[in-house]
Amino acid sequence: MSLIVQKYGGTSVANPERINAVADRVKRFVDKGHKVVVVVSAMSGETNKLLQFINDVNKKPDPRESDVVLSTGEQVTIGLTALAIQARGVKAKSYTGAQVKILTDNAHSKARIINIGTENIRKDLDNGYVLVIAGFQGADEQGNITTLGRGGSDTTAVAIAAALGADECQIYTDVNGIYTTDPRVVSNARKLKSITFEEMLEMASLGSKVLQIRSVEFAGKYKVNLRVLSSFEEDGEGTIITYEESHKMEDPIISGIAFNRDEAKVTVESIPDKPGIAYQILGPIAEQNIDVDMIIQNIGHDGLNDFTFTVNKTELDKTIEILEKMKDHLGAKTIIGDSNIAKLSLVGVGMKSHVGVASKMFRTLSEEGINISTISTSEIKISILIEEKSLDAAVQSLHKAFNLDQ
Ligand code: ADP
Ligand code: ASP
Ligand code: MG
C-alpha cells in the first residue's frame, strides 16, 4: 500500500466526462489498496474567464478581492470530483486550501506556502477517505484567501505530498510526460523517460509551464518522487524526475528547449557608469514585488551604460511607471519597454562538459536569419531574447540542429 498524491490539471477536469474519468482512475488506485489524495485545478479556461470578469469590473483590482474570485474555480472542481468518487462507492471528502490549513504569506496572486496543517487530512486518510484538495489556493495568517500564481496547483500537490511524506506525486495533464520541448511547437519533440531535477528546475524556470517552477523547487527540497503523466491514457510510465547527479559520458549535451512568451524587456538608456546604479534601478522594482529575470548591463561608452532586464509582461507598465519617476534622479536618457520579445533557452547538464554549444546555437539562428538581442548563460543553460514572431522557427531549427528528435 502506498500513499499517492494525484494532481489533475485543467484539461483533466474540463467537464463532467473528464471528472468521471478522474474518479474512475482514483477508484482503480483505491481498489489496489492505495491511499489517494487528489489535488485539482479549475476546469480549463475557468481561471482566465474569472480574470476577465475581474478586469471587466475594475481595471486596478484589489489583490485581496481578486484572489477571492480566482480561487472559486477550484472550489467547483473539488466538489464535483468528490461527488464523482462517491458515486463509485468510495468515501471522498473535499477541502479548500483554507480548510486544509495551507498557510501562505500575504503576497496575493503569488503567495508562497509557509506551512501545511496535516492533522485533519491525516485523520480522514486514516479513516479511509480519498481527499480532494483545491489546488492554487491557501490562506494567510489573517484568514484572507490567497492564490499561488498561475499553474499553482502543481505546487499545492507537491507541497501536500511533501507534508504527508507521500510515496509518489503524480501530475496528470494533457501530455504523457516531459518532452524535449513543447510538443505544441515541435511536433516531433521526444518524450523523456526521466529528467534530472536540475534540468527540470531550469526548464520550468525558463518557461516550460508543464510544471510550475515552485513545485519543482518543493520537490527538490523534500525529495518528492515526482512523475508527469497523461490523464487521457489508461496507463503509461510518464516522465520521472530524478535526483541523482548524472555524470555519464553518453549524457546528451542538450536535454531540452524551453521558451517563454510572457516576458517583456526594459532598457534604461545612458545611465552614468558608477557604483550603486544597478541597485538604484532594481531596488524600487523589488520593493513593489516585481520579479526581475534576465539582467544585462551593456558595455559602457563615454562613461554611460545601458541597463537591460526582463519582467513579466503583466508588470511592464508598472515597471515603466516606477522608472519614469526615477529617470532624472538616475540621470538616464530614456526608458524603453518592449513586449514583443520571447526568451528561448537550451538546457542540459551535458553542457557542463562540452564546449561549442553556444556557437552552434548562434550559427543555427544566424542561418535562419533570426536576430539575438540579449544572451545570458549558466553552467547548464543558454538563454537568449529574440523577437516573439521568430520564436517557433527558432525552436524548431534548434530542436533539429541538436538532434533532439533522435
Ligand atoms: P495542466 O492544465 O494539466 O496543468 P498545462 O497546460 O499547465 O497543463 O501543462 C501542460 C502543457 O505544457 C502541455 O500541453 C504542453 O503544451 C506544455 N509544455 C511546455 N513545455 C513542455 C515540455 N517540455 N514537455 C511537455 N509539455 C510541455
Ligand atoms: N487554475 C489555476 C490556473 O489556471 C491553477 C492551475 O491550473 O494550476 O493557473
Ligand atoms: Mg499547469
Side-chain angles (χ1 to χ4, degrees):
M1 188 194 74
S2 309
L3 172 57
I4 298 171
V5 175
Q6 301 186 331
K7 178 259 174 178
Y8 293 91
T11 44
S12 304
V13 291
N15 50 47
E17 191 190 331
R18 299 293 311 146
I19 291 176
N20 280 325
V22 167
D24 286 338
R25 183 185 306 269
V26 169
K27 183 172 171 3
R28 284 202 297 277
F29 275 83
V30 171
D31 288 346
K32 280 185 204 151
H34 300 304
K35 285 188 192 285
V36 184
V37 177
V38 180
V39 174
V40 288
S41 292
M43 293 180 179
S44 65
E46 200 55 32
T47 308
N48 286 341
K49 199 174 90 187
L50 294 170
L51 267 174
Q52 186 61 50
F53 285 166
I54 292 168
N55 190 58
D56 288 346
V57 296
N58 192 328
K59 296 286 176 239
K60 285 201 168 158
D62 171 9
R64 180 189 185 275
E65 304 313 325
S66 292
D67 275 355
V68 168
V69 178
L70 289 176
S71 63
T72 60
E74 274 74 10
Q75 189 163 335
V76 173
T77 48
I78 52 169
L80 289 174
T81 306
L83 288 169
I85 295 170
Q86 287 172 357
R88 283 152 181 81
V90 177
K91 292 206 286 184
K93 194 164 170 183
S94 70
Y95 273 91
T96 64
Q99 284 174 328
V100 176
K101 292 197 169 55
I102 299 181
L103 177 69
T104 72
D105 62 18
N106 61 3
H108 285 288
S109 86
K110 49 180 161 190
R112 281 180 179 273
I113 297 176
I114 297 169
N115 187 48
I116 296 186
T118 52
E119 206 179 306
N120 293 344
I121 53 177
R122 242 184 235 288
K123 219 177 279 165
D124 282 336
L125 269 177
D126 291 341
N127 287 327
Y129 282 92
V130 168
L131 308 184
V132 186
I133 298 174
F136 179 57
Q137 55 175 263
D140 69 7
E141 289 274 12
Q142 275 72 46
N144 298 303
I145 296 173
T146 55
T147 63
L148 310 181
R150 298 308 302 270
S153 301
D154 297 331
T155 301
T156 306
V158 177
I160 295 272
L164 290 174
D167 295 289
E168 186 163 285
C169 180
Q170 305 174 336
I171 306 287
Y172 287 93
T173 182
D174 56 1
V175 279
N176 61 359
I178 310 286
Y179 280 71
T180 46
T181 192
D182 190 339
R184 286 187 216 188
V185 172
V186 178
S187 56
N188 62 348
R190 190 168 43 82
K191 187 176 90 82
L192 304 166
K193 260 182 96 87
S194 66
I195 183 166
T196 68
F197 159 72
E198 230 181 337
E199 289 171 328
M200 193 62 238
L201 196 61
E202 288 284 3
M203 292 281 278
S205 79
L206 297 168
S208 295
K209 289 188 197 131
V210 57
L211 286 177
Q212 198 200 34
I213 170 84
R214 285 184 188 169
S215 71
V216 187
E217 288 168 354
F218 251 106
K221 194 163 165 196
Y222 298 99
K223 298 285 177 292
V224 174
N225 290 319
L226 187 60
R227 191 185 286 279
V228 175
L229 55 182
S230 169
S231 71
F232 290 76
E233 290 174 5
E234 279 265 326
D235 33 42
E237 296 286 296
T239 302
I240 181 105
I241 284 80
T242 59
Y243 295 100
E244 71 277 11
E245 259 210 60
S246 173
H247 297 290
K248 283 182 277 174
M249 288 294 285
E250 68 272 24
D251 274 347
I253 305 170
I254 303 297
S255 308
I257 304 177
F259 51 82
N260 188 346
R261 295 183 168 92
D262 298 342
E263 287 183 28
K265 185 170 76 169
V266 180
T267 305
V268 184
E269 271 191 333
S270 302
I271 39 164
D273 187 9
K274 64 176 191 201
I277 200 85
Y279 172 65
Q280 278 182 45
I281 294 174
L282 297 178
I285 290 167
E287 267 166 38
Q288 294 297 312
N289 218 351
I290 296 174
D291 287 326
V292 169
D293 182 31
M294 278 170 116
I295 303 171
I296 289 105
Q297 175 147 307
N298 303 341
I299 296 166
H301 45 88
D302 309 324
L304 298 173
N305 278 331
D306 290 347
F307 192 88
T308 300
F309 59 94
T310 59
V311 293
N312 197 284
K313 273 184 184 151
T314 55
E315 299 188 307
L316 177 62
D317 289 350
K318 199 165 153 195
T319 306
I320 301 278
E321 202 178 299
I322 295 169
L323 291 173
E324 281 294 344
K325 275 192 207 136
M326 299 174 2
K327 197 168 97 181
D328 293 342
H329 174 69
L330 289 170
K333 202 171 114 221
T334 37
I335 316 282
I336 304 168
D338 181 359
S339 54
N340 295 316
I341 56 136
K343 185 171 74 175
L344 181 159
S345 311
L346 297 185
V347 177
V349 285
M351 253 187 243
K352 284 182 188 173
S353 49
H354 283 84
V355 290
V357 177
S359 67
K360 185 168 178 181
M361 178 184 200
F362 303 154
R363 188 180 67 226
T364 306
L365 294 174
S366 85
E367 281 164 9
E368 291 287 318
I370 294 169
N371 189 41
I372 302 168
S373 72
T374 305
I375 302 168
S376 85
T377 61
S378 80
E379 220 182 7
I380 69 162
K381 70 123 201 279
I382 304 173
S383 295
I384 55 167
L385 295 183
I386 55 176
E387 276 189 300
E388 189 173 357
K389 66 177 188 332
S390 315
L391 180 66
D392 286 12
V395 176
Q396 284 153 7
S397 60
L398 290 167
H399 197 267
K400 190 152 171 236
F402 284 93
N403 297 325
L404 286 176
D405 44 352
Q406 270 145 46

